Amino acid sequence: MLHSMTSEPEQQIGVGTQDAFQRLWTPHRMAYIQGENKPTGPGADDGCPFCSIPSQSDEDGLVIARGSRVYAVLNLYPYNGGHLMVVPFRHVADYTELDEAETAELALFTKHAMTALRKASGAHGFNIGMNQGTVAGAGIAAHLHQHVVPRWGGDTNFMPVVGHTKVLPQLLADTRKMLAEAWPA
């Protein structure tokens, strides 16, 4: 049953002991948990989202900027607002498989991402890195991608630490537009 934002929550009988906690429902996370849109195999034709994103418009694919060898795209399941990834167009799994031109443009786009995030959101710092292989935490191990996660003083508050919940203050489409406008020319 839908309630307005000002109504009191409806009490449900038989759902456990009432406590003082408010619930922040994030049903969109179920898609990630259940592996929606994950590739079915290691090949580029096995449903790799990083291979299909470039064929979409920037807005639909959440692409911030495109180079000749890599592109920058927002993460659908961000650790923080503005969390983006730098992804080679070519379907390669391992960093050592990049050629020199791809490696150089990936580094340049990482620098551009930091510049845009500082300009657009005043990021104080960054977590930057790649998870190479499933055992290292790569959600999509078959297609290399480098994470650029903006950080701010005090951004790790009680929500992710205690509640295992992220509160993101901006819609992805709005974040994409803001960062695309701040991307260095």
Side-chain angles (χ1 to χ4, degrees):
M1 173 176 239
L2 294 176
H3 296 281
S4 73
M5 295 294 285
T6 58
S7 68
E8 287 294 315
E10 181 179 319
Q11 293 297 319
Q12 295 180 341
I13 306 300
V15 295
T17 306
Q18 185 176 351
D19 57 30
F21 292 101
Q22 294 292 318
R23 303 306 193 259
L24 178 61
W25 298 102
T26 56
H28 61 280
R29 295 282 303 159
M30 191 52 71
Y32 177 76
I33 293 166
Q34 293 177 337
E36 187 174 300
N37 297 322
K38 280 192 94 168
T40 57
D45 295 329
D46 292 329
C48 176
F50 296 133
C51 288
S52 66
I53 287 170
S55 67
Q56 300 176 37
S57 71
D58 288 354
E59 291 77 12
D60 290 342
L62 298 174
V63 175
I64 298 162
R66 297 173 192 255
S68 60
R69 292 172 175 78
V70 304
Y71 64 96
V73 62
L74 286 180
N75 190 316
L76 280 178
Y77 308 103
Y79 293 121
N80 263 346
H83 176 178
L84 62 87
M85 297 171 291
V86 179
V87 184
F89 287 111
R90 192 164 62 95
H91 186 86
V92 297
D94 197 89
Y95 186 64
T96 62
E97 296 177 54
L98 294 178
D99 63 31
E100 287 184 30
E102 289 167 325
T103 303
E105 193 170 72
L106 187 129
L108 177 64
F109 264 54
T110 301
K111 290 169 70 173
H112 285 339
M114 293 172 68
T115 299
L117 285 161
R118 282 186 178 124
K119 179 179 178 182
S121 67
H124 298 148
F126 300 91
N127 293 118
I128 297 173
M130 299 177 206
N131 299 321
Q132 293 283 266
T134 304
V135 298
I140 300 175
H143 197 131
L144 176 81
H145 53 285
Q146 176 159 271
H147 295 266
V148 179
V149 182
R151 302 301 303 265
W152 298 268
D155 67 6
T156 302
N157 60 32
F158 75 96
M159 290 299 284
V161 174
V162 176
H164 299 268
T165 302
K166 296 287 181 181
V167 178
L168 300 168
Q170 190 173 47
L171 296 173
L172 289 175
D174 295 337
T175 303
R176 191 218 65 82
K177 184 176 185 294
M178 177 182 73
L179 290 175
E181 290 171 356
W183 196 263

